[in-house]
Amino acid sequence: MFIKRDEKLVQQALKGNRKAWFTLISRYETAMYQYGIRMTGNSHDASDLMQDIFVSVYRSLANYRGDGTFKSWLYRIAHCRCMELYRKRKAFTDIDDISEPLCETSCPEMQLTSDRQSRAVTQAMQALPLAQKAVVELKFFGQFTFEEIAEQMDISVNTAKSRLYSALTKLKLELE
């Protein structure tokens, strides 16, 4: 089956083709929801984050230049929206003061996946600082290179590596 490239779908969506836009959404909605689950720890915030991401993508679709992949551009927007969510949340609660895991056991991802390791990793990620959590998310779940992560987060490659290895050390301790 012939699958249209993202860049072609973007061009068509910019010309008003609703089917192309919905194809882009359907192609990435599960990944963005799962990103939201891992970054926020609960299904309600993940759904809100996913909606914010796609609204932002829609509004700035004309700004997509095609320098990198659409997926990379999408994850950069996702990271920005996630940072905004944490800033808003921090105004009400210091996220570092929350001692219990934020993940709900009834979230759809957890119901579909009865894998205990997946739940443990998601819960352990909630203890990580946002910067480390974002690098883990992009590297392992988004499957980006360190160079792409550095570009998306506007940090150096060495900083991305350092954050990942620090996060992995913390996750290992948390999961043992």
Side-chain angles (χ1 to χ4, degrees):
M1 179 177 175
F2 176 73
I3 298 175
K4 291 184 180 178
R5 293 192 53 211
D6 292 340
E7 290 74 16
K8 181 89 169 163
L9 290 169
V10 168
Q11 290 173 357
Q12 291 175 346
L14 286 170
K15 292 177 183 174
N17 185 332
R18 293 173 59 107
K19 186 176 179 183
W21 170 244
F22 289 124
T23 300
L24 279 171
I25 290 174
S26 66
R27 190 171 284 180
Y28 290 103
E29 71 181 331
T30 300
M32 290 297 99
Y33 179 75
Q34 291 172 346
Y35 170 84
I37 286 286
R38 288 185 294 269
M39 295 303 288
T40 66
N42 68 69
S43 59
H44 178 38
D45 285 344
S47 294
D48 288 348
L49 180 60
M50 181 180 71
Q51 183 177 0
D52 288 346
I53 291 166
F54 284 116
V55 167
S56 293
V57 168
Y58 182 77
R59 288 181 178 160
S60 57
L61 199 57
N63 297 330
Y64 173 66
R65 296 184 313 257
D67 295 340
T69 65
F70 177 79
K71 179 182 174 185
S72 179
W73 184 73
L74 174 67
Y75 270 89
R76 183 172 178 95
I77 290 174
H79 176 70
C80 291
R81 296 294 78 81
C82 186
M83 294 295 289
E84 287 176 5
L85 176 71
Y86 271 90
R87 284 186 194 116
K88 289 176 189 173
R89 186 184 284 175
K90 189 143 179 112
F92 299 106
T93 304
D94 187 357
I95 195 78
D96 295 329
D97 292 340
I98 298 174
S99 60
E100 62 188 72
L102 295 173
C103 189
E104 301 170 356
T105 57
S106 63
C107 63
E109 180 185 31
M110 296 306 164
Q111 290 174 353
L112 294 173
T113 309
S114 62
D115 182 14
R116 291 174 60 200
Q117 289 179 337
S118 176
R119 277 184 279 189
V121 169
T122 300
Q123 289 178 347
M125 281 183 65
Q126 299 313 304
L128 295 175
L130 179 60
Q132 291 177 355
K133 190 186 316 185
V135 173
V136 170
E137 168 64 31
L138 292 171
K139 182 67 177 166
F140 293 112
F141 299 103
Q143 300 178 343
F144 290 102
T145 65
F146 282 115
E147 290 78 15
E148 292 170 324
I149 293 168
E151 182 182 328
Q152 289 179 28
M153 295 183 67
D154 199 26
I155 58 176
S156 72
V157 172
N158 286 338
T159 300
K161 289 178 182 179
S162 174
R163 287 180 183 174
L164 177 69
Y165 297 128
S166 294
L168 291 177
T169 300
K170 290 176 184 176
L171 285 173
K172 182 179 177 184
L173 291 173
E174 186 77 26
L175 293 171
E176 286 180 342

